[in-house]
């Protein structure tokens, strides 16, 4: 149980275009979803926290107009990278926290590799 | 505030040898602590977690970790390394308070290499 999927797993786009990444909790409802960014050989950096039905909370230094997050349902959150540039190339990972429990545990998706050319 | 320090960005062991990956934390309130493993181009898999119950925590794949409050440490060990253990390992901390949404703070990671 507690499976999180991401789509696509890998995407290549041209500079200036927008890319949408989906994060789905497959067998549970997620109160909260988190979006992380990971550069090669580095740790995960939290970008934003999204709660279903409300605006995402962005970490300091993350441009909210560039990284649009929508948490429209208890099983789906999307991250849209707008006007992507090569420096946005990275590995993006989402995680989800179970609903209805005061639980700390996050379940991670498999990640999306974004390459901007 | 919370933070995690992983000592050693790269640890190399021989197959069958003891694995020891170090993690020290800082937290203003009692923490929850986690160890995750990441294989190349994949997401994170939870190895084990400490949530204020037993201080010696056993996880998957033969790994265990001991929470030592006096040393603010949560080191990961495995008695005998397998080739399949080669991966990146992350220590993470969150405060045991829902007010933070249980945000995780990760260490920088330790790359474990297992030599035949």
């Amino acid at each position: 149980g507690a499976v999180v999927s991401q789509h696509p797993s890998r995407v290549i786009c041209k500079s200036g275009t927008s890319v949408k990444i989906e994060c789905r909790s497959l067998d549970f409802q997620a109160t909260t979803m988190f979006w992380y960014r990971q550069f090669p050989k580095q740790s995960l950096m939290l970008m934003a926290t999204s709660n279903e039905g409300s605006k995402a909370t962005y970490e300091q230094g993350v441009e909210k107009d560039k990284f649009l997050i929508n948490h429209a349902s208890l099983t789906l959150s999307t991250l849209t990278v707008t006007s992507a540039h090569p420096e946005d190339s990275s590995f993006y990972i989402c995680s989800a926290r179970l609903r209805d429990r005061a639980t700390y545990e996050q379940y991670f998706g498999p990640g999306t590799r974004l390459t901007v050319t | 505030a919370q933070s995690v320090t992983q000592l050693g960005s790269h640890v190399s062991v021989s197959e069958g040898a003891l694995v020891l990956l170090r993690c020290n934390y800082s937290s203003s309130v009692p923490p929850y602590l986690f160890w995750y493993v990441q294989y190349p181009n994949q997401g994170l898999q939870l190895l084990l977690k400490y949530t204020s119950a037993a201080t010696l925590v056993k996880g998957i794949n033969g790994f265990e970790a001991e929470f030592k409050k006096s040393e603010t440490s949560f080191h990961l060990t495995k008695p005998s390394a397998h080739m399949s253990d080669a991966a990146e390992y992350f220590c993470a901390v969150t405060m045991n308070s829902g007010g933070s949404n249980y945000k995780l703070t990760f260490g920088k990671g330790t790359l474990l290499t297992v030599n035949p």
Side-chain angles (χ1 to χ4, degrees), chain A residues 7-117:
Chain A
H7 178 79
S9 58
R10 194 177 283 269
V11 58
I12 302 172
C13 69
K14 291 183 185 291
S15 188
T17 62
S18 295
V19 173
K20 181 184 284 188
I21 302 169
E22 292 186 349
C23 176
R24 292 183 185 272
S25 55
L26 297 185
D27 51 1
F28 67 99
Q29 292 183 323
T31 309
T32 307
M33 288 185 170
F34 302 87
W35 286 95
Y36 297 86
R37 184 174 182 176
Q38 186 180 31
F39 290 106
K41 301 192 186 303
Q42 293 190 28
S43 188
L44 280 74
M45 293 195 60
L46 180 64
M47 299 175 66
T49 303
S50 78
N51 290 296
E52 186 263 341
S54 61
K55 289 185 178 180
T57 302
Y58 291 81
E59 295 298 302
Q60 193 172 5
V62 177
E63 299 176 60
K64 61 182 179 181
D65 293 331
K66 182 167 188 61
F67 299 100
L68 301 178
I69 291 172
N70 187 321
H71 193 159
S73 77
L74 285 170
T75 59
L76 173 65
S77 177
T78 59
L79 167 68
T80 301
V81 183
T82 62
S83 187
H85 290 284
E87 58 265 30
D88 299 323
S89 298
S90 191
F91 194 52
Y92 292 88
I93 303 175
C94 72
S95 70
R97 189 161 70 81
L98 284 164
R99 184 193 185 200
D100 295 335
R101 288 174 61 183
T103 181
Y104 41 83
E105 199 156 340
Q106 295 181 25
Y107 299 91
F108 285 82
T112 296
R113 173 77 58 196
L114 170 63
T115 303
V116 184
T117 61

Side-chain angles (χ1 to χ4, degrees), chain B residues 6-45:
Chain B
Q6 290 184 242
L7 297 174
S9 60
H10 186 194
V11 170
S12 182
V13 300
S14 299
E15 191 174 18
L18 171 72
V19 175
L20 171 61
L21 304 182
R22 299 177 187 274
C23 172
N24 287 88
Y25 71 91
S26 172
S27 177
S28 56
V29 298
Y32 289 158
L33 293 156
F34 306 82
W35 275 100
Y36 289 91
V37 61
Q38 185 181 35
Y39 297 98
N41 294 309
Q42 295 186 27
L44 273 66
Q45 181 182 8

Side-chain angles (χ1 to χ4, degrees), chain B residues 51-97:
Chain B
T51 58
S52 71
T55 56
L56 182 61
V57 181
K58 294 187 184 299
I60 62 171
N61 302 339
F63 284 95
E64 64 181 39
E66 186 171 7
F67 172 71
K68 292 187 177 180
K69 184 178 179 180
S70 61
E71 299 178 8
T72 61
S73 69
F74 190 58
H75 301 330
L76 182 71
T77 61
K78 182 174 180 177
S80 176
H82 287 189
M83 297 295 291
S84 59
D85 295 327
E88 187 87 28
Y89 291 80
F90 293 98
C91 182
V93 63
T94 189
M95 295 186 287
N96 65 356
S97 164

